[in-house]
Amino acid sequence: MVHLTINGKPVEVEEGTTILQAARKINIDIPTLCFLKDINEIGDCRICVVEVEGKRGFATACIQKVEEGMVVKTNSPAVIEARRVVLDLIISNHDRECLTCTRNGNCELQKLAEEFNITQIEYAGSRNRHEIDDLSPAIVRDFNKCILCRRCVSTCNKIQGVGAIDCTERGFDSCISTYGNKSLNDVNCTFCGQCIEACPVGALKEKDSTNEVWRKLRDEDTVVIVQTAPAVRVALGEEFGMEIGTNVKGKMVTALKRLGFDKVFDTNTGADFTIVEEGNEFLERLKNGGKLPMITSCSPGWVRYMEMNYPEVIPNLSTCKSPHQMFGALIKTYYAEKENIDPSKIFVVSVMPCIAKKFERTRDGMKSAGYDDVDAVITTRELARMIKQAHIDFVNLEDSEFDAPMGEATGAGAIFGTTGGVMEAALRTVQEKLTGNHFEKLEYEQIRGMEGIKRAKVDMNGTEVKVVVASGLKNAQTIMEEIKSGKADYQFVEIMACPGGCIMGGGQPIRTSKERANIDIKGKRASALYSIDEKSTIRKSHENPVLQKIYKEYLGEPGGHRAHELLHTSYVKRDKYKF
Amino acid sequence: MQEILGKYSKEKSNLIQILNEVQEYYGYIPENAQVEISEYLSITMAQIYGVITFYSRFTLKPRGKYHIAVCLGTACYVKGSEKILDRAKEKLGIDVGETTKDGKFSLEATRCIGACGLAPVFTVNEEVYGKATVKTLDEAIDKIMENPE
Amino acid sequence: MKTLEEINKIREEKRKELDLRINTSADTREKHILVCHGTGCTSSKSTQIIENFRKIIEEKNIENVRVIQTGCFGLCAKGPIVIIRPEDVFYAMVTPNDCEEIIEKHIQNGEIVQRLLCKDIDNKTVQKLDELNFYKKQKRIALKNCGVIDPENIEEYIAFDGYKALEKVLFHMTPDEVIEEISASGLRGRGGAGFPTGRKWLFTKMAEGDQKYVVCNADEGDPGAFMDRSILEGDPHCVVEAMMIAGYSVGANKGYIYVRAEYPIAVKRFQKAIDSAREYGILGKNIWNSGFDFDLEVRLGAGAFVCGEETALLESIEGKRGQPRLKPPFPANEGLFGKPTLINNVETYANITKIILNGAKWYSSIGTEKSKGTKVFALGGNVNNTGLVEVPMGTTLREIVYDIGGGIPNGRDFKAAQTGGPSGGCIPKEHLDTPIDYESLQAIGSMMGSGGLIVMDDTKCMVNLAKFYLGFTVDESCGKCTPCRIGTKRMLEMLEKITEGNGQKGDIEKLENLAVNIKAASVCGLGQSAPNPVLSTIKYFREEYREHIDFKECKAGECKALMKLSIDPELCRGCGLCKRNCPVDAISGEVKQTHIIDQEKCIKCGTCITKCPFHAIKG
């Protein structure tokens, strides 16, 4: 144990603890900006500088490990002045139009400026300006707001292993950019959006689709139907100050109705379809010697990554569309027919925790019925903005239920939003179909939990099925290398681009660095989903009555001709760079 | 390219050595060279680009056949090298970092090259012109221009 | 491959053979023509001179004459330099056309070519190098072999005690003893920071690691500094040997030298030294059956000054952007590829073999109490004898500028000297008698730096100088940390404003506050020292800043925007040449009447000054 004094208060911590951690332990907070625990610990911004007695200059609190007998001062006048000057300099090179910025009110720089009582910029001067990159369907990059904290670079390289962005140029001209300064659309970006979640300011954001949705909502001729992903309902409340991991499904549905959507459906229902189709596909491959291991395909960031880096694995991928795409296809066909609505007048909006789905809906093969399966994708954040725009008092809304007939979903559909959830849902269906048994224990603990790669064996009446669950693209790469080198001895793989699954997707509420360091956000959001599953009456996808009805009335057999037409898709080899 | 890459093991730390050779050989770092290096060393294109743009020696655009570098290091600056640079800009009609339209000349303002005893200094490719004046620059450029090559 | 006995034999024989290089009364019939072949003299055609000499000797079939390329003699202002041994006659500013005369007159007829002899500052003609005032106060330890041996010939190096220190260390000293010796000598890092070398070696030795490295920092980037280049070009083997000794002491068997790519000759010669050393069995496995392995590799820089910072250098060797790392951890514990690494500057290494052979006591008898030994300086700027000098620590600035440097040319006055380049401070007239050592320089707001010493006369504007240095720093900042990336840019912008006549009241205080905070909060030495030129020029020349800001005046006449061109009515004849040539029609006046310049329109291009035949216009 190491003993030190911070601001006169003694504290005892384990060896290897940083000054920042030690201080937080005794409720002394040191401001930080570039620090992102386990991801970006580089001491660049100089905001966290502190004085250490006997040492020349300042120490970097977020990195420097404590030493026995250290005497630390975290807010001496010299430290405060240095921090103020540093912040002044950062802001002097920043696009200070807060009023028109998407992070207004949720910006770490703004918070610091407020805390430090910055009332004027003493060291104003020239700025390093660049054009905004908004060429991709999913993500917008505005370097004029960048503070060069490099949290995004660390995330993209270290955590996701993609490396679409890096620091370029030198000195004042330093710029976080791509190869050749190309648009993110023209390089190997997978649109996973983890960089957005890491960015403390408004330099990275999703492509906004709310204006389009408002337009359609205004249009009396259009039937605007909205569906919401499972991960949205356990995070949306955070945008209104509610506790992380609160299930706000009821309020969310009410809010959506008040916004004027004609129908509010549940993507979880679509997820049930995905399970039935995918479970069927897997069993077919298992029985008939098809390509194994089979890999899930509902994460569009992962699919894009695979197409760019491991196109040889395409035959392994399930041909199933992701839940919201399947659902959109069904709305434009089955539902439209049933309700006698002209499908060209239906506008399907998906509320997703994901920005890659903004790209996914534009893919070839996502227009099964002759119309786009999904017409617009908005993120959890965008939905919150719309609710706030409509001045709806979210927190005090009463609960509502999803609309029939496509509003009923099973617990299996709900757990799609967390890593391991798709696999678990699939196994429930697969196990039952394979063994013919009706079994009661539905939780597969071996594939729950937050490790990046989870491996498990499931005994299905003598047939051992080995499964792997991976989240985060770096972990996906490990699995790909195993498959490539022939070392893969498992049959079924679930891959999610975002570490932790969709609950930590690129469209979810953005938490501050301090929260990410001290709160188990993943755990809380995930447990809310598992809770939904637990409380569901029906917990196996194939037992969903609405689903059974639609198959009977409309689709025919799972994997059959019609199902294939509407609910399946194909993949292509994708160039990483546009030269 | 294959010849250059063949001299080095696939360790990422060889990146700058390889880039130096490529720059030396081609006069800049061509795009296809970056792709080959990326594959050989398993480094992302973005990272290679980040390294290339960090170091002054590496250029992404080809230099002129005759590359003129005027030293603006302290000793040279104090002895008036800026006037020589201005003259070069004027005579060639290009700015620092640019190449003449016919590809014959490119111009650079360089940091100290260590020949301070002979300040002010400019170089044309490998050749060093010490104790230079605006006149010596004129002569050097004229000599090249007269040469029909 | 040669055994240790063979090497010793070569030394004995070669030493006799080359005695004439340093002994005027050597017993020999040979004449050696030594031609300086450092970058400086090479650019002045010394390669041609060497070729010419060799051609003429061959054509005339002259025996017993050798033409030797050597390293820098130091007096660059008088280059190319040719020295004839053993008589030690030194010819200055030799051109390729002089070779014939030197051969015919001097070599064949024993007659000194008077017109090529060097004239000292007091106009006295001098024959021997050591007679020059330039050399009288110097003591060449690090530069001992520069100008004596052919740097590309390993046997010449061996002749003059080369690799003798390595033998002593490998067979007669333990690593601890070596480190004790280096510590006792008082040697401090010559790269600029002055950290006690022995202590650094000790830390690296004590660090735990399965692999250790020894690195030589040859990324000499300070503008105006060419000490390291000269050592590498003139005596590369002494660095090789020193690195091996260092490796033995700290427990490393692999070394890297990181050289600027802008030093092609130095790179070539050092690589040749490595190749020769390998050939002779000096680098490799189980050297001389001692059980010690060591090998060296050259790594090129790529044009980034910041890579002279030790941790940025490591990043560069690792193939990444040269962005410094935070310290702690220090390279001694976690350095190259995460392993314990010793990094020292070229000049620091150049002192090692001499300390081992002559003893720590000898070394520590030179210099001052806290700064032992000698320091190499690259003297440049407004001084007569520009070139490379090596003086004992404690020599005063006055001695260097006047006695060695020969004073200020053109009858001008000394204004300030800058040490430490863009990280250093200026030393004004009142501190001319400051002894040059680490502590004394720091006490007056400057620093030793790597050795660049630029002298400035009274035509230099100190505000402009600060702006120049900031311009350099802004260009070379790596961009990693906020205070340096943005702060230095802001300082530069403020200085630009001031030198353009847009300074405002309070700017000096603003600059000072910004400078102090940049120094305190930056991650690495570049940012921490970038404000030094600003702070020291403000400290000693605050008046000049005030003149620029309050009165929009630049008395030195360097800041163009503040020039006020005026026509002297006493001298003006009203010829109208200025008026006709003014590109903005700012001059008015009738024929044969005094002309006037409209200050509002004047763009200070200076065309009128050059056109006036009566020198009536002054700025």
Side-chain angles (χ1 to χ4, degrees):
Chain A
M1 295 300 276
V2 179
H3 307 82
L4 65 152
T5 318
I6 304 181
N7 294 352
K9 284 167 72 169
V11 60
E12 187 186 321
V13 287
E14 296 212 357
E15 233 189 276
T17 311
T18 62
I19 299 179
L20 176 66
Q21 287 167 321
R24 282 187 174 161
K25 188 169 174 205
I26 46 172
N27 267 327
I28 293 177
D29 196 23
I30 300 173
T32 68
L33 193 48
C34 70
F35 176 72
L36 198 54
K37 181 156 170 265
D38 297 331
I39 301 177
N40 200 46
E41 299 181 357
I42 54 182
D44 273 7
C45 66
R46 317 311 292 153
I47 292 284
C48 71
V49 288
V50 292
E51 251 179 51
V52 173
E53 216 173 78
K55 294 266 162 82
R56 211 165 45 112
F58 293 131
T60 316
C62 67
I63 298 186
Q64 172 104 31
K65 308 267 195 305
V66 297
E67 282 163 28
E68 183 65 32
M70 229 183 196
V71 176
V72 179
K73 287 206 207 98
T74 69
N75 41 17
S76 67
V79 164
I80 293 192
E81 176 63 6
R83 283 192 200 142
R84 187 193 66 78
V85 170
V86 166
L87 192 59
D88 190 297
L89 290 172
I90 296 176
I91 298 179
S92 79
N93 192 25
H94 180 81
D95 174 355
R96 322 195 245 291
E97 300 277 297
C98 290
L99 287 179
T100 50
C101 178
T102 158
R103 297 290 289 269
N104 188 10
N106 181 21
C107 166
E108 291 189 36
L109 185 65
Q110 205 180 37
K111 193 100 204 358
L112 279 178
E114 187 208 333
E115 280 173 11
F116 284 32
N117 194 23
I118 304 283
T119 50
Q120 56 154 19
I121 301 303
E122 194 179 341
Y123 295 105
S126 68
R127 291 204 3 230
N128 186 8
R129 290 183 200 261
H130 284 257
E131 265 184 51
I132 297 180
D133 168 21
D134 61 356
L135 293 181
S136 81
I139 185 168
V140 176
R141 197 165 54 100
D142 182 0
F143 182 73
N144 301 302
K145 300 228 182 243
C146 179
I147 57 169
L148 279 147
C149 67
R150 294 159 211 235
R151 283 158 50 160
C152 55
V153 172
S154 296
T155 305
C156 190
N157 284 279
K158 227 172 105 173
I159 304 298
Q160 292 295 72
V162 171
I165 51 176
D166 209 326
C167 195
T168 65
E169 305 296 333
R170 183 173 79 199
F172 190 75
D173 297 332
S174 291
C175 179
I176 307 291
S177 188
T178 59
Y179 161 67
N181 248 325
K182 298 177 192 287
S183 163
L184 281 173
N185 201 38
D186 298 337
V187 297
N188 60 336
C189 174
T190 61
F191 302 141
C192 70
Q194 289 304 293
C195 53
I196 300 180
E197 298 291 323
C199 184
V201 296
L204 290 163
K205 57 188 179 185
E206 66 277 13
K207 199 89 181 281
D208 185 279
S209 307
T210 57
N211 282 336
E212 201 192 348
V213 175
W214 280 126
R215 263 204 315 274
K216 291 295 176 187
L217 283 171
R218 265 207 311 271
D219 181 7
E220 306 222 334
D221 280 337
T222 315
V223 177
V224 192
I225 301 183
V226 66
Q227 50 163 320
T228 65
V232 176
R233 69 202 65 182
V234 296
L236 182 62
E238 294 169 31
E239 293 286 296
F240 300 94
M242 297 173 79
E243 267 260 1
I244 302 177
T246 316
N247 174 13
V248 295
K249 182 204 90 179
K251 299 191 202 288
M252 176 181 75
V253 176
T254 309
L256 286 166
K257 292 196 180 181
R258 293 218 190 155
L259 283 174
F261 287 95
D262 294 300
K263 285 286 174 197
V264 182
F265 291 150
D266 190 357
T267 309
N268 296 10
T269 314
D272 284 333
F273 279 90
T274 308
I275 289 302
V276 170
E277 286 297 316
E278 198 151 338
N280 179 70
E281 192 184 358
F282 178 63
L283 287 169
E284 287 291 307
R285 292 194 194 190
L286 208 52
K287 256 192 289 184
N288 305 331
K291 196 82 169 137
L292 290 179
M294 190 174 93
I295 314 175
T296 60
S297 54
C298 51
S299 167
W302 142 245
V303 170
R304 195 174 154 87
Y305 175 82
M306 180 272 313
E307 288 175 325
M308 284 182 179
N309 296 288
Y310 295 96
E312 62 269 32
V313 166
I314 289 181
N316 291 68
L317 236 71
S318 157
T319 53
C320 289
K321 289 182 182 173
S322 66
H324 82 122
Q325 295 287 156
M326 282 193 178
F327 204 42
L330 286 173
I331 292 174
K332 299 254 177 131
T333 51
Y334 169 77
Y335 180 75
E337 266 179 50
K338 190 145 187 277
E339 303 291 315
N340 218 0
I341 308 173
D342 175 5
S344 71
K345 297 268 197 282
I346 301 181
F347 192 82
V348 172
V349 178
S350 302
V351 185
M352 294 286 128
C354 170
I355 61 161
K357 293 203 181 281
K358 290 182 187 266
F359 153 75
E360 185 188 37
R361 69 157 211 88
T362 67
R363 289 174 63 101
D364 281 338
M366 299 298 182
K367 268 177 107 108
S368 306
Y371 308 97
D372 286 343
D373 297 340
V374 172
D375 299 288
V377 172
I378 56 173
T379 58
T380 314
R381 297 190 294 262
E382 282 164 280
L383 175 59
R385 268 180 246 140
M386 289 180 73
I387 295 173
K388 289 179 188 172
Q389 252 185 302
H391 236 256
I392 296 173
D393 181 9
F394 187 81
V395 174
N396 292 317
L397 287 178
E398 71 279 9
D399 289 346
S400 305
E401 290 300 320
F402 284 109
D403 287 328
M406 320 272 276
E408 212 174 308
T410 69
I415 57 176
F416 257 61
T418 173
T419 171
V422 177
M423 178 61 70
E424 197 173 319
L427 285 176
R428 290 179 192 175
T429 296
V430 165
Q431 181 149 20
E432 201 164 284
K433 295 273 184 230
L434 197 56
T435 62
N437 291 341
H438 223 69
F439 53 95
E440 288 318 309
K441 176 142 169 41
L442 296 170
E443 291 87 11
Y444 291 79
E445 267 94 16
Q446 327 95 299
I447 53 177
R448 294 192 178 191
M450 286 299 149
E451 299 84 47
I453 300 179
K454 295 167 272 188
R455 301 175 194 264
K457 289 193 281 251
V458 183
D459 178 14
M460 305 205 182
N461 226 23
T463 318
E464 191 185 68
V465 175
K466 286 203 181 123
V467 303
V468 171
V469 171
S471 72
L473 289 172
K474 197 147 192 211
N475 293 319
Q477 190 182 22
T478 311
I479 304 301
M480 286 302 102
E481 290 299 316
E482 285 175 9
I483 296 178
K484 223 170 113 163
S485 64
K487 290 206 200 101
D489 62 346
Y490 31 83
Q491 288 85 33
F492 201 178
V493 182
E494 176 204 291
I495 296 190
M496 295 289 151
C498 300
C502 310
I503 42 171
M504 303 304 286
Q508 292 285 66
I510 299 172
R511 312 295 326 194
T512 65
S513 157
K514 191 163 170 212
E515 288 167 334
R516 287 174 70 160
N518 299 324
I519 307 173
D520 180 15
I521 302 167
K522 270 188 243 182
K524 287 186 191 248
R525 290 180 186 166
S527 79
L529 285 178
Y530 285 124
S531 187
I532 295 176
D533 171 38
E534 237 175 65
K535 300 204 185 92
S536 303
T537 36
I538 310 175
R539 299 174 67 192
K540 297 179 215 151
S541 297
H542 56 278
E543 289 177 0
N544 184 334
V546 170
L547 175 145
Q548 288 171 341
K549 184 168 180 233
I550 294 180
Y551 269 102
K552 189 145 154 248
E553 279 182 24
Y554 192 73
L555 285 174
E557 283 306 309
H561 178 74
R562 195 126 210 216
H564 244 280
E565 206 180 53
L566 296 181
L567 309 179
H568 288 254
T569 183
S570 59
Y571 310 103
V572 292
K573 175 175 191 289
R574 217 170 268 276
D575 281 330
K576 276 158 79 163
Y577 303 99
K578 275 208 190 70
F579 290 117
Chain B
M1 264 313 292
Q2 283 311 309
E3 218 183 283
I4 296 178
L5 288 177
K7 292 192 220 162
Y8 297 94
S9 66
K10 291 195 173 183
E11 280 174 44
K12 295 192 200 307
S13 62
N14 285 325
L15 176 61
I16 292 178
Q17 303 287 90
I18 295 173
L19 285 173
N20 258 318
E21 275 206 46
V22 174
Q23 177 74 34
E24 197 57 51
Y25 185 81
Y26 291 100
Y28 71 115
I29 317 278
E31 195 164 63
N32 66 302
Q34 293 176 52
V35 176
E36 288 194 53
I37 296 174
S38 169
E39 281 165 20
Y40 190 72
L41 297 176
S42 305
I43 301 180
T44 66
M45 295 289 282
Q47 198 175 336
I48 295 180
Y49 187 74
V51 168
I52 293 175
T53 53
F54 182 85
Y55 294 98
S56 309
R57 267 209 119 205
F58 303 138
T59 53
L60 290 164
K61 284 190 248 176
R63 284 194 177 160
K65 186 158 179 216
Y66 296 94
H67 183 71
I68 300 179
V70 181
C71 179
L72 289 189
T74 321
C76 289
Y77 186 80
V78 150
K79 292 238 166 126
S81 64
E82 214 180 1
K83 283 204 200 74
I84 299 178
L85 180 66
D86 288 339
R87 179 74 185 129
K89 284 191 209 173
E90 196 189 351
K91 198 172 169 78
L92 298 173
I94 52 175
D95 205 349
V96 164
E98 292 181 354
T99 310
T100 52
K101 280 213 172 66
D102 59 5
K104 205 155 188 187
F105 293 98
S106 51
L107 185 60
E108 184 193 343
T110 164
R111 289 296 154 208
C112 175
I113 59 171
C116 320
L118 297 169
V121 168
F122 72 87
T123 60
V124 180
N125 292 344
E126 295 288 303
E127 217 175 315
V128 179
Y129 292 79
K131 297 204 181 127
T133 59
V134 169
K135 189 153 167 260
T136 31
L137 178 81
D138 274 343
E139 283 168 5
I141 295 180
D142 288 336
K143 200 169 97 178
I144 298 170
M145 280 181 165
E146 279 158 27
N147 194 336
E149 250 176 80
Chain C
M1 291 273 284
K2 306 252 184 277
T3 63
L4 183 54
E5 289 72 42
E6 287 171 319
I7 302 264
N8 285 335
K9 198 142 188 293
I10 293 174
R11 185 179 298 116
E12 221 186 295
E13 287 170 3
K14 266 309 218 207
R15 179 66 184 78
K16 271 200 217 105
E17 190 189 314
L18 299 181
D19 191 35
L20 73 159
R21 298 274 177 92
I22 55 172
N23 185 0
T24 47
S25 22
D27 174 24
T28 175
R29 286 207 298 150
E30 277 194 20
K31 290 227 189 281
H32 284 187
I33 304 176
L34 301 171
V35 185
C36 175
H37 210 191
T39 302
C41 288
T42 303
S43 70
S44 302
K45 311 251 186 295
S46 65
T47 317
Q48 193 68 49
I49 295 173
I50 294 175
E51 271 169 31
N52 281 6
F53 273 135
R54 293 205 170 123
K55 216 172 67 175
I56 297 171
I57 289 172
E58 204 189 306
E59 281 172 4
K60 292 188 190 265
N61 233 327
I62 306 177
E63 282 177 6
N64 291 328
V65 186
R66 279 196 233 176
V67 183
I68 316 286
Q69 59 159 5
T70 62
C72 181
F73 289 108
L75 188 46
C76 309
K78 299 275 196 260
I81 296 186
V82 172
I83 296 189
I84 315 290
R85 283 272 174 197
E87 50 263 51
D88 192 16
V89 170
F90 139 73
Y91 293 124
M93 298 176 87
V94 175
T95 70
N97 295 331
D98 297 325
C99 296
E100 186 110 37
E101 193 179 340
I102 294 178
I103 297 284
E104 280 178 7
K105 267 206 172 130
H106 188 135
I107 302 296
Q108 293 185 298
N109 289 336
E111 205 188 300
I112 294 178
V113 185
Q114 291 292 336
R115 70 173 178 85
L116 287 175
L117 285 179
C118 186
K119 274 206 170 49
D120 209 340
I121 286 306
D122 48 13
N123 252 322
K124 253 182 38 197
T125 307
V126 150
Q127 186 184 305
K128 294 204 169 113
L129 204 72
D130 299 325
E131 290 168 5
L132 270 181
N133 277 318
F134 180 72
Y135 287 100
K136 286 205 180 127
K137 294 211 164 170
Q138 290 195 45
K139 194 178 183 66
R140 286 163 73 101
I141 297 180
L143 297 176
K144 177 173 148 280
N145 283 337
C146 292
V148 175
I149 63 170
D150 174 355
E152 297 192 31
N153 188 332
I154 188 175
E155 294 198 355
E156 296 211 359
Y157 175 71
I158 292 174
F160 290 96
D161 291 341
Y163 293 110
K164 207 160 150 201
L166 180 65
E167 182 192 347
K168 181 172 178 188
V169 156
L170 286 181
F171 296 107
H172 303 288
M173 294 173 85
T174 64
D176 280 325
E177 284 169 346
V178 178
I179 294 179
E180 263 163 46
E181 191 74 359
I182 302 297
S183 299
S185 74
L187 177 65
R188 291 167 70 169
R190 294 290 189 253
F195 190 82
T197 309
R199 204 185 304 165
K200 207 182 224 187
W201 288 31
L202 185 62
F203 286 156
T204 317
K205 174 171 189 290
M206 291 188 335
E208 277 173 30
D210 52 357
Q211 167 81 54
K212 294 190 186 176
Y213 296 103
V214 165
V215 171
C216 175
N217 184 346
D219 190 56
E220 183 176 55
D222 270 7
F226 55 103
M227 305 75 55
D228 294 347
R229 172 174 67 68
S230 307
I231 293 173
L232 291 176
E233 289 176 351
D235 190 11
H237 280 280
C238 86
V239 175
V240 173
E241 193 179 352
M243 288 180 79
M244 294 179 74
I245 293 173
Y248 173 77
S249 313
V250 305
N253 51 27
K254 183 78 199 272
Y256 291 91
I257 180 167
Y258 184 84
V259 196
R260 298 180 70 192
E262 293 88 329
Y263 283 175
I265 296 181
V267 172
K268 189 181 93 173
R269 295 214 176 133
F270 200 84
Q271 185 62 54
K272 181 119 198 267
I274 294 179
D275 293 337
S276 315
R278 282 200 193 121
E279 220 182 285
Y280 276 62
I282 296 172
L283 277 175
K285 295 228 181 289
N286 195 12
I287 298 159
W288 300 330
N289 273 323
S290 62
F292 176 58
D293 305 334
F294 197 80
D295 204 358
L296 271 179
E297 210 182 294
V298 175
R299 284 293 171 121
L300 286 181
F305 169 75
V306 68
C307 288
E309 198 279 340
E310 58 179 13
T311 59
L313 191 153
L314 296 178
E315 289 285 295
S316 193
I317 294 183
E318 292 183 13
K320 304 186 215 150
R321 290 162 62 89
Q323 290 169 178
R325 304 175 184 169
L326 263 77
K327 297 191 273 208
F330 290 87
N333 289 306
E334 253 179 70
L336 191 57
F337 306 118
K339 308 289 181 201
T341 306
L342 172 71
I343 306 174
N344 273 132
N345 168 269
V346 170
E347 196 187 328
T348 313
Y349 281 124
N351 280 289
I352 298 294
T353 54
K354 289 86 176 177
I355 294 175
I356 297 293
L357 289 176
N358 300 326
K361 224 160 154 206
W362 159 78
Y363 195 80
S364 60
S365 71
I366 304 163
T368 66
E369 193 201 324
K370 293 224 181 104
S371 306
K372 299 292 179 195
T374 56
K375 178 81 190 79
V376 181
F377 286 100
L379 196 53
N382 302 125
V383 68
N384 277 310
N385 294 332
T386 55
L388 210 62
V389 310
E390 188 172 357
V391 293
M393 293 279 195
T395 307
T396 66
L397 181 61
R398 190 186 294 278
E399 287 175 282
I400 296 181
V401 174
Y402 289 98
D403 299 340
I404 299 176
I408 320 288
N410 301 328
R412 304 231 65 116
D413 252 334
F414 173 91
K415 185 163 183 185
Q418 172 87 9
T419 57
S423 314
C426 63
I427 305 170
K429 221 177 187 161
E430 66 245 41
H431 286 301
L432 261 174
D433 292 300
T434 309
I436 301 288
D437 67 50
Y438 292 100
E439 274 67 35
S440 306
L441 287 176
Q442 246 176 351
I444 57 169
S446 183
M447 55 127 75
M448 178 75 70
S450 59
L453 209 168
I454 309 281
V455 180
M456 279 156 294
D457 64 22
D458 54 349
T459 63
K460 297 288 167 285
C461 169
M462 299 312 280
V463 184
N464 192 41
L465 180 80
K467 182 182 85 162
F468 169 77
Y469 276 125
L470 250 314
F472 176 81
T473 315
V474 167
D475 238 15
E476 299 292 339
S477 164
C478 80
K480 178 172 143 126
C481 74
T482 322
C484 178
R485 180 179 81 244
I486 310 179
T488 55
K489 179 89 172 167
R490 296 292 177 244
M491 278 202 295
L492 175 63
E493 286 169 349
M494 290 177 74
L495 287 167
E496 281 171 346
K497 265 179 43 204
I498 293 174
T499 56
E500 278 160 21
N502 296 323
Q504 290 167 303
K505 232 181 172 54
D507 272 355
I508 301 180
E509 289 73 23
K510 243 173 109 171
L511 263 176
E512 281 177 314
N513 188 37
L514 182 55
V516 162
N517 282 292
I518 293 175
K519 269 179 86 77
S522 293
V523 167
C524 84
L526 191 152
Q528 286 158 7
S529 61
N532 285 350
V534 176
L535 285 172
S536 76
T537 49
I538 291 180
K539 178 172 172 171
Y540 294 116
F541 298 95
R542 204 183 186 99
E543 261 320 294
E544 245 178 276
Y545 277 85
R546 278 209 201 97
E547 284 162 13
H548 280 70
I549 296 173
D550 296 338
F551 307 121
K552 314 288 185 234
E553 235 175 40
C554 173
K555 289 217 172 114
E558 265 201 306
C559 298
K560 252 174 62 164
L562 301 183
M563 282 200 308
K564 278 190 196 47
L565 291 152
S566 59
I567 302 176
D568 188 341
E570 306 270 305
L571 299 170
C572 175
R573 306 284 185 85
C575 69
L577 259 173
C578 58
K579 178 174 161 189
R580 281 199 288 283
N581 283 288
C582 174
V584 293
D585 288 325
I587 306 183
S588 56
E590 301 301 314
V591 177
K592 296 247 173 84
Q593 306 261 312
T594 306
H595 280 48
I596 313 178
I597 300 175
D598 182 347
Q599 294 301 328
E600 302 276 303
K601 290 199 186 143
C602 174
I603 57 165
K604 311 175 207 284
C605 66
T607 308
C608 53
I609 299 181
T610 51
K611 291 294 177 193
C612 178
F614 306 107
H615 303 294
I617 308 185
K618 296 196 181 41

